[in-house]
């Protein structure tokens, strides 16, 4: 199995970043990779980053409190709460540094069947154009998002291959 189609990101409006990828795996399996921390901790984040989870509860209103560890040793506090979960089609979330972060952004992830594969789209809406620009320019949000979806694709495909062996 292979991952397919690195799609170019589209930016809609001045507050949004949209990134998508086609993954050579069934939608239910791609969706499942988001539902348990044992999966997320294996693939979440851009190249060179790792994740330490403090708490995790995958349900609407549940939270994922975690730290991302950069390749330079910098720790980044992160917090996500899920605002909508519609298996296996859609996940909506609010993502910031901590609960109550005024700069938190909203993300909508959609999982579409594409033959035997899944097209995942990550649509992120920032509170302001300036925060989006900072995320794109300073934190390399587009490249990081593409790398994160690449890690997801590799994880899911490796998992499928292991299960079929």
């Amino acid at each position: 199995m292979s991952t397919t189609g690195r799609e170019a990101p589209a930016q809609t409006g001045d507050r949004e970043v949209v990134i998508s990828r086609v993954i050579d795996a069934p939608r239910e399996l791609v969706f499942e990779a988001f539902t348990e921390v044992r999966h997320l901790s294996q693939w979440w984040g851009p190249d060179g980053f790792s994740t330490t989870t403090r708490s995790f509860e995958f349900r609407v209103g549940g939270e994922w409190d975690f730290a991302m560890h950069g390749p330079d040793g910098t720790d980044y506090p992160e917090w996500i709460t899920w605002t909508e979960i519609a298996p296996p089609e859609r996940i909506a979330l609010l993502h910031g540094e901590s609960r109550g972060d005024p700069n938190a952004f909203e993300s909508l992830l959609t999982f579409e069947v594409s033959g035997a594969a899944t097209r995942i789209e990550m649509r992120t809406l920032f509170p302001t154009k300036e925060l989006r620009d900072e995320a794109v320019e300073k934190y390399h949000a587009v490249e990081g998002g593409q790398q994160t979806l690449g890690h997801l694709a590799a994880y899911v495909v490796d998992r499928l291959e292991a299960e079929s062996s």
Side-chain angles (χ1 to χ4, degrees), residues 28 30-40 43-44 53 55-65 80-94 109 111:
E28 290 76 11
V30 177
F31 187 91
E32 182 186 325
F34 281 88
T35 66
E36 296 179 29
V37 73
R38 68 184 174 93
H39 296 311
L40 280 165
W43 62 265
W44 183 267
T53 296
S55 65
F56 181 87
E57 187 175 8
F58 187 73
R59 64 171 180 80
V60 172
E63 298 179 355
W64 181 21
D65 183 17
I80 287 175
T81 187
W82 290 276
T83 57
E84 179 186 2
I85 300 170
E89 301 168 4
R90 187 172 53 256
I91 299 172
L93 57 90
L94 184 64
L109 294 92
F111 304 79

Side-chain angles (χ1 to χ4, degrees), residues 64-77:
W64 181 21
D65 183 17
F66 62 106
M68 291 182 63
H69 312 290
D72 64 356
T74 302
D75 290 336
Y76 300 91

Side-chain angles (χ1 to χ4, degrees), residues 20 40 66 96 103 146-147 157:
S20 63
L40 280 165
F66 62 106
N103 297 327
Q146 290 171 330
Q147 291 169 6
V157 168

Side-chain angles (χ1 to χ4, degrees), residues 5-45:
R6 281 200 106 143
E7 297 179 30
Q11 294 183 359
T12 306
D14 61 358
R15 296 175 35 219
E16 191 171 43
V17 172
V18 181
I19 300 167
S20 63
R21 184 178 187 111
V22 175
I23 299 173
D24 190 19
R27 176 168 72 166
E28 290 76 11
L29 190 61
V30 177
F31 187 91
E32 182 186 325
F34 281 88
T35 66
E36 296 179 29
V37 73
R38 68 184 174 93
H39 296 311
L40 280 165
S41 64
Q42 298 299 310
W43 62 265
W44 183 267

